[in-house]
Amino acid sequence: EDKVVQSPLSLVVHEGDTVTLNCSYEVTNFRSLLWYKQEKKAPTFLFMLTSSGIEKKSGRLSSILDKKELFSILNITATQTGDSAIYLCAGGSNYKLTFGKGTLLTVNP
Amino acid sequence: GAGVSQSPSNKVTEKGKDVELRCDPISGHTALYWYRQRLGQGLEFLIYFQGNSAPDKSGLPSDRFSAERTGESVSTLTIQRTQQEDSAVYLCASSFPLAGANNEQFFGPGTRLTVL
């Protein structure tokens, strides 16, 4: 059975801190690793990673995939209160995404 | 439409009643997915449609749950004889047909179901 494990499950930081969120996966027919941000209901897409070692960056957020170790990290630098959300990691196979339980990030002013 | 839409946004029902949840995917997206998210949990896959057929229903938790899709567009998730453990947010997502490793799914705002 496919499995995605995220850590930590929750994290509280102060504005300006840098955070690293972790995601490990065991997905049959693995194709891609996706990160989503969920603030209220609908998860919004952040990154999709398919190749090892190539960092994807969007503003203060960046992510990288290690296909040998079956691992991905999401980094957020200079955190802001608006970054408070649940960050979901998902392993993609032929058509299916298997989600982890998410990391609840709280950024305090 | 511009995005995935779902209705109703909230549904409160009594135990034992049937409910129908609706999803309108992004126009042109032939793949459609239903997920369930219980409080404090990740997304639990329920069913996948490609066009109007459902090649993977493996996530439906019991025979009280069913889903259909018509016109390669709207989908309805039906829960019969609802139980309190069915209370959750039900999320729908759609995507283009698979092209290599492109699995990006676009999510709707969800339906929050509360079974009293």
Side-chain angles (χ1 to χ4, degrees), chain A residues 31-32 34 36 38 40-45 48 50 86 88 92-102, chain B residues 9-10 33 35 37 41-43 45 48 56 58 89 91 98 100-105 107-110 112:
Chain A
R31 298 285 194 111
S32 56
L34 290 86
Y36 285 84
Q38 187 177 29
K40 291 191 177 174
K41 282 187 190 174
T44 53
F45 173 77
M48 181 167 67
T50 56
I86 297 171
L88 296 165
S93 61
N94 293 328
Y95 59 84
K96 195 170 173 176
L97 293 181
T98 300
F99 282 85
K101 290 187 177 181
Chain B
S9 56
N10 285 285
Y33 306 79
Y35 295 90
Q37 188 175 30
Q41 301 294 311
L43 276 65
F45 169 81
Y48 156 65
D56 189 347
S58 62
V89 175
L91 289 159
L98 298 171
N102 184 357
N103 280 320
E104 182 185 346
Q105 296 177 13
F107 283 85
R112 183 178 300 278

Side-chain angles (χ1 to χ4, degrees), chain A residues 70-89:
Chain A
L70 308 183
F71 193 81
S72 175
I73 61 172
L74 174 69
N75 280 319
I76 309 175
T77 59
T79 51
Q80 302 171 357
T81 55
D83 294 328
S84 296
I86 297 171
Y87 290 83
L88 296 165
C89 169

Side-chain angles (χ1 to χ4, degrees), chain B residues 19-85:
Chain B
V19 295
E20 278 191 359
L21 312 180
R22 178 188 167 106
C23 172
D24 282 271
I26 293 171
S27 179
H29 281 189
T30 60
L32 186 147
Y33 306 79
W34 283 98
Y35 295 90
R36 178 170 70 178
Q37 188 175 30
R38 290 191 165 121
L39 191 63
Q41 301 294 311
L43 276 65
E44 176 188 1
F45 169 81
L46 296 178
I47 187 170
Y48 156 65
F49 285 93
Q50 181 55 46
N52 292 333
S53 64
D56 189 347
K57 307 178 186 180
S58 62
L60 294 178
S62 75
D63 59 8
R64 297 187 295 106
F65 287 72
S66 62
E68 64 173 19
R69 188 178 185 196
T70 56
E72 295 198 351
S73 180
V74 172
S75 176
T76 303
L77 177 69
T78 301
I79 310 173
Q80 295 178 310
R81 305 181 302 281
T82 50
Q83 303 294 312
Q84 288 181 332
E85 68 256 27

